[in-house]
Amino acid sequence: MNILVIGGGGREHAIAWKLSRSGRNPRLFVAPGNAGTAAIATNLPVKADDVDGLAMAARDHHVDLAIVGPDGALAAGVVDRFRDAGLPAFGPLRAAARLEWSKSFAKQVMAEVGVPTAAFRVFDDAASARAYVREHGAPTVVKADGLALGKGVVVARTVEEALAAVDDMMVRRVFGAAGDRVVIEEALSGQEVSVFCFTDGQSSSPLVAACDYKRVFDGDRGPNTGGMGGYSPPPFWSAELERKVQERCIRPVLAALAKAGTPYTGVLYGGLMLTADGPRVIEFNARFGDPESQLILPRLENDLIDVVEAVVAGKVSSLRLRWSKATVGVVIASGGYPGDYPTGLPIAGLDHAAEVATVFHAGTARKGDAIVTAGGRVLIVVGQGEDLAEARALAYEGAARISFANAHYRRDIASFAGERA
Ligand code: AMP
Ligand code: GLY
């Protein structure tokens, strides 16, 4: 069986790694992949949003099944294109992935079916958006409607910050067309948690949960990043909370999309905030999370190929997912990230680290015999244990064994000091 994983970050390394452990011995391709995926799969030099290039590569390599990682590929319609070519692909069609590529669409669906979320308004012109901000004050949250490489959300503490965000998005158009429409919403507070279910559009699996850390420095200080680490399952996650989130936040949305004739299939990712008034949805993503995949896939006891096939074949109701143990992941980043940073630095200690933890590559490349840095987030080192404490000890033991010039990682991942855990 030939499987193509689309994407090239830590998430795609984790997906390929999990597939490589299948008893069904698949042949794996990753487009474009990284130095980590190169060790377990054949990397193909095709960009993740090059829909035609991917379809061509899939035909050339006799791909039986494709798994889509990044949001951009889904928004570009890669699943639609594969389906038209008769190639099974895991992920929602573009019309259902709209839940992620249009924040106003997601809000509208949630409002229609009564899913708890922040109160919001949608604006297509800057003057009305500004007037609304002045009238409603701060704190408030300004979001570009479309995809903005994870940077389209501004949690504004002051009216000035919110007005600046409106100008950046709608007037200066720093995110291009993605910011021509904005959502302005109520600022919520509480513990954040990411939840995931597999769905074929009709049935959905129970949720698995993980938490990540967005700020670059210990104690949640410094600028936002793509994620500096995380853990699964969260200590506060319970069967009761799972049921509540499933019933109030997930199933109504899946039912609404099915009813609209655009059933959602693949993995649905809910970003939630556990507020004093109960769980509320911050956003939906139409794919696996990064770094959450690196935390949840090592916990999945099922063969991932069986799971993906059940989703594609519409047989999720017969799936029995089993999640075991606990994981903690520590991201090793380039010094300077999320600002400017150097690349091409040789990385030492990867094999030594792999004796105690699983090392997923995010921004790496091969240079001769060496593996070198090639991005801001370079690696994520995942420890797995009977509980979070054991997983954490192994993750940090692994991280300590890896070195490159000016490497930086947070020391407080899953330490729960001062957190509501
Ligand atoms: P996103 O880029 O959509 O993942 O959002 C980035 C982060 O912004 C989220 O993880 C939250 O921490 C924060 N955020 C988004 N919406 C809200 C909100 N309504 N209230 C408070 N924080 C929010
Ligand atoms: N963990 C954030 C994301 O995958 O978008």
Side-chain angles (χ1 to χ4, degrees):
M1 182 173 199
N2 294 343
I3 305 181
L4 170 65
V5 178
I6 297 171
R11 165 182 49 209
E12 289 76 19
H13 187 191
I15 294 169
W17 169 86
K18 181 66 187 166
L19 294 169
S20 76
R21 297 163 75 90
S22 164
R24 296 169 62 179
N25 296 317
R27 250 188 100 199
L28 300 177
F29 299 90
V30 186
N34 59 36
T37 62
I40 53 173
T42 303
N43 284 350
L44 304 176
V46 186
K47 291 216 179 87
D49 56 2
D50 175 2
V51 172
D52 291 330
L54 290 167
M56 218 143 34
R59 235 188 341 260
D60 290 351
H61 295 283
H62 309 287
V63 164
D64 302 296
L65 180 62
I67 301 176
V68 185
D71 50 7
L74 296 166
V78 72
V79 176
D80 307 58
R81 181 77 166 75
F82 273 55
R83 179 179 286 193
D84 289 346
L87 296 164
F90 174 87
L93 293 168
R94 186 179 142 76
R98 191 172 178 197
L99 220 41
E100 175 162 10
W101 59 257
S102 170
K103 290 191 157 71
S104 60
F105 174 74
K107 293 298 262 188
Q108 184 194 319
V109 173
M110 285 191 268
E112 273 166 19
V113 293
V115 166
T117 185
F120 71 102
R121 286 277 301 273
V122 178
F123 296 95
D124 290 300
D125 73 282
S128 317
R130 281 195 212 103
Y132 181 83
V133 166
R134 287 205 188 91
E135 192 180 327
H136 283 77
T140 188
V141 184
V142 182
K143 301 185 170 183
D145 186 54
L147 297 180
L149 300 169
K151 300 196 171 89
V153 174
V154 174
V155 181
R157 279 157 304 178
T158 64
V159 167
E160 289 66 37
E161 273 182 73
L163 292 173
V166 167
D167 276 352
D168 282 347
M169 291 175 195
M170 305 192 86
V171 182
R172 295 180 49 225
R173 300 183 85 229
V174 295
F175 305 122
D180 286 345
R181 169 175 288 177
V182 300
V183 175
I184 300 183
E185 66 180 38
E186 169 196 10
L188 302 174
S189 59
Q191 168 74 49
E192 280 187 57
V193 58
S194 304
V195 300
F196 301 85
C197 70
F198 292 97
T199 175
D200 54 22
Q202 302 302 321
S203 301
S204 59
S205 68
L207 302 168
V208 61
C211 290
D212 72 347
Y213 291 77
K214 293 242 191 308
R215 303 297 192 101
V216 70
F217 298 127
D218 286 16
D220 286 333
R221 290 191 312 270
N224 268 319
T225 70
M228 292 300 291
Y231 52 87
S232 176
F236 55 79
W237 191 244
S238 64
E240 192 199 328
L241 185 54
E242 197 274 336
R243 231 182 353 261
K244 201 187 272 184
V245 171
Q246 185 82 265
E247 276 168 21
R248 294 188 193 167
C249 304
I250 305 295
R251 287 214 190 98
V253 167
L254 293 175
L257 289 177
K259 196 169 156 222
T262 53
Y264 184 100
T265 70
V267 61
L268 180 64
Y269 166 164
L272 308 174
M273 196 163 299
L274 306 180
T275 72
D277 303 326
R280 298 225 220 158
V281 176
I282 293 275
E283 63 176 1
F284 283 111
N285 295 318
R287 51 179 172 78
F288 283 110
D290 190 340
E292 290 92 339
S293 312
Q294 297 92 306
L295 303 170
I296 65 169
L297 290 175
R299 294 188 53 222
L300 179 64
E301 287 192 1
N302 305 62
D303 187 322
L304 182 57
I305 301 178
D306 296 342
V307 176
V308 166
E309 282 184 340
V311 168
V312 173
K315 293 186 173 152
V316 166
S317 61
S318 61
L319 262 185
R320 293 291 168 268
L321 295 182
R322 297 180 309 279
W323 304 97
S324 72
K325 297 193 175 174
T327 48
V328 171
V330 176
V331 168
I332 309 187
S334 298
Y337 172 78
D340 292 337
Y341 51 82
T343 57
L345 303 170
I347 304 170
L350 289 168
D351 290 341
H352 194 35
E355 289 166 11
V356 292
T358 307
V359 183
F360 295 118
H361 293 225
T364 63
R366 204 163 244 295
K367 196 163 148 194
D369 280 343
I371 291 183
V372 301
T373 66
R377 290 189 297 166
V378 178
L379 304 160
I380 178 166
V381 184
V382 178
Q384 187 161 20
E386 292 306 323
D387 56 22
L388 288 171
E390 188 187 351
R392 177 172 200 270
L394 291 167
Y396 275 105
E397 173 62 31
R401 295 180 179 196
I402 293 173
S403 57
F404 57 85
N406 288 320
H408 162 71
Y409 59 87
R410 278 180 67 155
R411 311 281 158 162
D412 64 345
I413 304 299
S415 73
F416 305 119
E419 277 178 59
R420 206 187 104 192

